[in-house]
Amino acid sequence: MTDWKPRTRAVHAGTRRSQYGEVSEAIFLTQGFVYDSAEAAAQRFEKAGEDEFIYARYGNPTVAMFEDRIASLEGAEAAFATASGMAAVSGALMSMLKAGDRVVSARALFGSCLYVLEEILARYGVEIVLVDGTDLEAWEQAITPETDVVFFESVSNPTLEVIDIEAVVKLAHAQNAKVVIDNVFASPVYSRAFEQGADVVIYSATKHIDGQGRAMGGVILGSEEYIRKTVEPYLKHTGPALSPFSAWIMLKGLETIELRVRAQTATAEALADALSGHPKLARAIYPGHASHAQHDLCMRQMGKGGTLLAIDLAGGQEAAFRFLNALQIGVISNNLGDAKSILTHPATTTHQRLPQEQKDLLGITPGLVRISVGLEDADDLIVDMLQALDQA
Ligand SMILES: *Cc1c(COP(=O)(O)O)cnc(C)c1O
């Protein structure tokens, strides 16, 4: 199986068949498991074997199939699935940190990631240092010998800054710090984060892995030692377990993720071409477009620009709202990676909480609109966005 290419692994890796030999993965909607004898129960509690389960908060066969499949795709030794992407982000960090530790993170983060760092970890005595993630000198200065963890989104939400994984890993490892990457925007399709030196990779499975807006989920990937000795004890006792039903949705999502994400990326490329230089826009931001400041890095790191772009309407918030309200295909919502194109106004929704000063620093301007490109026909989307821009 290790020689199989990603598309084959996305369909077959991790499959466990019951005695019925079902083709599609079974959903084990059970919270517990029956032991053959009292001795067997005692033995399993002492040390559970590879395919032995105790309680669904610790593990479940459908969830294990999802964990094994995503680990295989990502090239990770092990994975632990969670009830949401934020349970994965907070679980990965909380399980490895203690009071007095130091985290250096890129400043441009998803709102809830920023909350976990600045409001929760800081309250427990973890020192948080935020830097401009695109500035390698800033990383170098901040990553002191006291640094324990380095954290960033490889492509930031919502301004699509690309962080140089290999360069930051080198600086972090030189100080014995572990690198934890929130890789949602890259998606498993364009990720080579472990090859590029990451210690821990996190996904919100809610995004491209489901890809059809049905269920919440998340996953933490890393070494066998980190997952079994650090993450598992923390998550199994704090309890954000992924539901077996949602794990089944994520397994089915992985089967088609490559086809979906590549099709969505091709449309994002066409949209970036159609929108760049538009007179109503102050900027169009797409890492896969030659105009993006880190285009070369993005191509080196991911090979493609991904499924998200952002536009900044020159007319500010009023123009952005007129544009959003005039759309006929894309919907106003805040998920991403979905089959439906989804548009978000970060300044008043996902990043509303941030003070103006921080919004300015992150480039979350009043005119900024994030576009998650779906599976609709590219020409239809372009026509719709252009007509909505006319009305903006
Ligand atoms: C959505 C998202 C998360 C959180 O995932 P949920 O499944 O919504 O909890 C974390 N990081 C990034 C970059 C995201 O886009």
Side-chain angles (χ1 to χ4, degrees):
M1 195 179 81
T2 45
D3 316 330
W4 291 353
K5 299 211 166 36
R7 274 171 66 172
T8 310
R9 277 182 273 140
V11 174
H12 290 287
T15 303
R16 288 164 166 80
R17 289 207 167 85
S18 78
Q19 73 273 32
Y20 299 113
E22 65 280 355
V23 173
S24 179
E25 295 76 2
I27 309 176
F28 290 92
L29 270 181
T30 178
Q31 101 298 79
F33 303 84
V34 175
Y35 312 99
D36 289 338
S37 65
E39 289 78 7
Q43 195 177 38
R44 201 175 295 183
F45 266 78
E46 202 178 300
K47 187 167 179 17
E50 163 79 11
D51 252 319
E52 293 181 341
F53 298 93
I54 293 173
Y55 193 57
R57 174 149 48 76
Y58 305 180
N60 167 286
T62 312
V63 175
M65 287 193 256
F66 168 61
E67 290 168 340
D68 289 356
R69 186 166 297 176
I70 179 86
S72 169
L73 272 179
E74 197 69 22
E77 284 177 17
F80 204 100
T82 55
S84 70
M86 283 321 301
V89 171
S90 60
L93 294 171
M94 293 288 279
S95 66
M96 42 193 319
L97 290 163
K98 59 182 186 313
D101 282 353
R102 176 182 166 101
V103 176
V104 178
S105 169
R107 181 181 290 134
L109 294 179
F110 181 61
S112 296
C113 292
L114 208 53
Y115 185 88
V116 167
L117 294 176
E118 287 192 298
E119 304 291 332
I120 301 177
L121 286 168
R123 199 197 302 155
Y124 288 94
V126 176
E127 184 192 0
I128 307 294
V129 181
L130 299 177
V131 299
D132 173 349
T134 61
D135 181 351
L136 285 177
E137 269 174 38
W139 282 112
E140 187 165 10
Q141 281 184 8
I143 302 172
T144 57
E146 294 74 39
T147 305
D148 300 282
V149 168
V150 167
F151 179 73
F152 57 90
E153 293 171 9
S154 55
V155 179
S156 74
N157 183 358
T159 46
L160 304 167
E161 289 179 352
V162 183
I163 312 289
D164 188 334
I165 296 177
E166 282 179 342
V168 176
V169 161
K170 206 163 143 201
L171 295 170
H173 286 178
Q175 305 294 357
N176 287 320
K178 296 269 189 250
V179 177
V180 179
I181 300 181
D182 179 334
N183 219 15
V184 168
F185 277 39
S187 89
V189 175
Y190 302 128
S191 169
R192 287 183 10 252
F194 283 109
E195 230 175 283
Q196 289 155 348
D199 299 294
V200 178
V201 171
I202 291 158
Y203 287 104
S204 161
T206 317
K207 312 294 167 58
H208 302 87
I209 295 177
D210 172 11
Q212 290 157 83
R214 299 164 295 188
M216 306 284 303
V219 65
I220 305 170
L221 299 123
S223 69
E224 183 70 25
E225 157 128 4
Y226 167 72
I227 295 295
R228 298 276 86 87
K229 301 218 168 110
T230 302
V231 170
E232 183 179 306
Y234 179 86
L235 291 177
K236 114 183 180 182
H237 296 300
T238 54
L242 181 64
S243 127
F245 185 77
S246 299
W248 179 80
I249 288 177
M250 301 310 176
L251 273 166
K252 294 285 128 190
L254 285 179
E255 289 185 344
T256 58
I257 192 171
E258 167 111 14
L259 297 172
R260 286 184 286 107
V261 166
R262 291 204 183 275
Q264 286 164 264
T265 301
T267 303
E269 287 166 355
L271 207 50
D273 282 340
L275 296 178
S276 73
H278 191 286
K280 291 269 174 86
L281 298 180
R283 334 170 258 171
I285 311 169
Y286 182 58
H289 194 265
S291 61
H292 192 279
Q294 295 144 312
H295 177 65
D296 292 344
L297 167 64
C298 178
M299 291 298 121
R300 221 170 42 242
Q301 190 160 293
M302 290 164 47
K304 285 281 179 183
T307 67
L308 285 118
L309 47 130
I311 53 175
D312 193 357
L313 282 97
Q317 180 172 324
E318 283 183 17
F321 278 23
R322 279 196 300 270
F323 166 72
L324 288 168
N325 292 334
L327 290 166
Q328 291 179 350
I329 300 175
V331 297
I332 304 169
S333 187
N334 40 265
N335 189 20
L336 59 92
D338 200 279
K340 295 180 173 63
S341 289
I342 290 177
L343 294 93
T344 311
H345 185 250
T348 55
T349 61
T350 52
H351 291 70
Q352 185 183 66
R353 189 182 69 82
L354 298 186
Q356 191 57 46
E357 187 186 287
Q358 211 166 351
K359 283 183 191 158
D360 294 344
L361 212 54
L362 297 178
I364 302 175
T365 52
L368 191 77
V369 173
R370 188 187 75 191
I371 306 173
S372 167
V373 178
L375 282 169
E376 301 94 339
D377 184 277
D379 293 338
D380 286 347
L381 280 179
I382 291 169
V383 167
D384 188 33
M385 298 226 186
L386 291 178
Q387 70 77 25
L389 277 178
D390 282 346
Q391 298 185 58

